[in-house]
Amino acid sequence: MSLVSIKQVKKSFGPLDVLKNVSFDVNKNEVVAIIGPSGSGKSTLLRSLIYLEEIDGGSILFGDVALVEDGKYAANIKNITNRMGMVFQQFNLFPHLNVKENLEIAPKMTNRMPVAEIGKKSEELLEKVGLTQWANSYPNQLSGGQKQRVAIARALMMNPEILLFDEPTSALDPELTGEVLKVMRDLAKEDMTMVVVTHEMGFAKEVADRVVFMDQGEIVEEGDPAEVLVNPKQERTKAFLKRTLNK
């Protein structure tokens, strides 16, 4: 059974159709990279999975539980979205909280684990992303790469079944991108289920189990990274990769 199943999802902003009958599945322990030009609907799709955007039609299921089915949302939306974690392009850390407090605020507010366990887990995750010595620092004292690693650790605090990444390195200088991608590679090796909207073609080719190419609100092509990125079948995919790889 798929961990996430997206069926005929539609989304419009006024007269603009942003998602046009988008359908695909994400299997447990799979890394799916979503690529495509700006404005193709990638981020809107990701935000729809975690209910930051409401879709206009279609269904999104997590296992056998529907977040939204035929455009109608479940009553227990929070219980479903709690199964996911999301890492944003612009970090979205709380500036008035230090790094450790940023990690611990959500589980404390939701009472999802004992306080002693929260402290232990935050320390373990900071060690995992290489930021133990920054536990008491504030976001404005960190580099962009460090902030994004904090954001990943924060998302992991809630023990998500799936992690969603929305262009996690696009706000970073090239020299800081590597440290974030390393953490993501390590998560993939640990069989973390991930959906990653990215412009990092090397990462997609190396780490993803499947690549989905979107353009103009629809899935144009999907498949094995070596096929989609090296030997694409669709002309739109070929044109996008030619522009991207020749930059």
Side-chain angles (χ1 to χ4, degrees):
M1 180 186 292
S2 301
L3 182 59
V4 179
S5 186
I6 299 153
K7 301 179 179 178
Q8 300 293 305
V9 166
K10 303 175 186 176
K11 172 67 179 178
S12 300
F13 293 115
L16 180 64
D17 294 329
V18 180
L19 298 175
K20 307 171 185 176
N21 293 315
V22 172
S23 299
F24 73 96
D25 292 345
V26 180
N27 299 315
K28 185 175 176 59
N29 307 132
E30 185 179 31
V31 179
V32 178
I34 303 179
I35 64 172
S38 298
S40 58
K42 308 183 301 296
S43 293
T44 299
L45 177 61
L46 213 62
R47 292 171 64 84
S48 298
L49 295 183
I50 203 163
Y51 195 55
L52 294 175
E53 298 284 358
E54 285 195 23
I55 63 173
D56 300 321
S59 303
I60 299 172
L61 291 86
F62 290 88
D64 56 356
V65 179
L67 170 68
V68 51
E69 194 161 21
D70 298 326
K72 184 177 180 181
Y73 279 87
N76 61 333
I77 288 174
K78 195 65 180 172
N79 290 340
I80 301 169
T81 57
N82 279 343
R83 297 169 64 180
M84 295 171 278
M86 186 155 180
V87 178
F88 298 89
Q89 180 178 330
Q90 295 293 342
F91 325 126
N92 289 10
L93 300 178
F94 294 108
H96 63 291
L97 301 179
N98 66 31
V99 165
K100 197 168 189 294
E101 290 166 341
N102 262 283
L103 265 63
E104 296 178 356
I105 185 171
K108 284 180 177 177
M109 290 180 68
T110 55
N111 297 314
R112 291 185 66 183
M113 61 181 82
V115 173
E117 187 178 328
I118 291 172
K120 182 181 178 183
K121 187 172 182 63
S122 67
E123 290 170 5
E124 289 173 352
L125 287 172
L126 287 176
E127 182 177 359
K128 184 185 188 75
V129 299
L131 291 172
T132 298
Q133 69 193 71
W134 299 92
N136 296 315
S137 301
Y138 287 83
N140 66 358
Q141 298 172 301
L142 305 179
S143 70
Q146 289 169 330
K147 290 176 187 176
Q148 197 59 291
R149 283 186 282 155
V150 172
I152 293 171
R154 181 180 61 179
L156 290 168
M157 277 294 293
M158 301 295 280
N159 297 315
E161 295 176 47
I162 183 170
L163 270 184
L164 311 175
F165 292 84
D166 188 10
E167 295 278 14
T169 61
S170 64
L172 304 179
D173 294 333
E175 63 267 24
L176 300 177
T177 295
E179 61 191 52
V180 174
L181 293 180
K182 181 185 181 302
V183 172
M184 295 171 67
R185 286 187 182 95
D186 291 343
L187 290 172
K189 289 175 184 175
E190 295 169 8
D191 291 329
M192 184 75 208
T193 308
M194 298 190 284
V195 179
V196 186
V197 170
T198 185
H199 62 277
E200 297 287 344
M201 297 301 140
F203 173 84
K205 185 177 179 181
E206 175 193 348
V207 179
D209 299 296
R210 184 155 44 99
V211 170
V212 174
F213 171 63
M214 290 186 67
D215 191 20
Q216 298 177 14
E218 58 189 2
I219 293 177
V220 177
E221 187 166 356
E222 67 173 300
D224 184 271
E227 284 296 312
V228 176
L229 298 175
V230 178
N231 189 31
K233 296 178 175 63
Q234 303 299 321
E235 290 303 321
R236 276 197 278 174
T237 315
K238 292 176 184 177
F240 168 75
L241 291 171
K242 186 176 181 180
R243 290 195 307 270
T244 303
L245 299 175
N246 287 341
K247 283 184 179 178

